[in-house]
Amino acid sequence: MQFVDSSNIERIGYDFSSSTLRIEFKSNRTYDYANVPEYIFNELRNASSVGSYHARNIKNIYPYTEI
């Protein structure tokens, strides 16, 4: 997990063996997104706005589970 500069996302991480993206929000909620390609994680990590990238390219696109 790595910290990101975002107003609503605290940390992000990626499990390469299962293609699972984990996002920890500043609200203390954490979600695992399934079947996320590695390039999406890299784009998220390098986005100028991590929260906006999440909203446009991950949220409501990949199935998720709250942990």
Side-chain angles (χ1 to χ4, degrees):
M1 296 290 286
Q2 63 186 75
F3 288 95
V4 292
D5 183 20
S6 172
S7 60
N8 66 340
I9 295 175
E10 185 74 22
R11 298 187 306 162
I12 62 172
Y14 189 76
D15 183 334
F16 295 92
S17 64
S18 66
S19 299
T20 300
L21 171 66
R22 179 168 286 177
I23 299 181
E24 178 184 306
F25 290 85
K26 292 189 177 179
S27 65
N28 290 324
R29 291 188 160 190
T30 302
Y31 296 88
D32 278 351
Y33 293 85
N35 304 316
V36 177
E38 184 179 346
Y39 82 90
I40 295 287
F41 169 67
N42 290 326
E43 288 180 358
L44 174 67
R45 184 174 53 179
N46 296 314
S48 58
S49 173
V50 175
S52 293
Y53 186 90
H54 168 260
R56 283 192 321 269
N57 300 290
I58 299 167
K59 184 178 180 182
N60 299 322
I61 295 174
Y62 295 98
Y64 64 89
T65 305
E66 184 172 3
I67 311 192

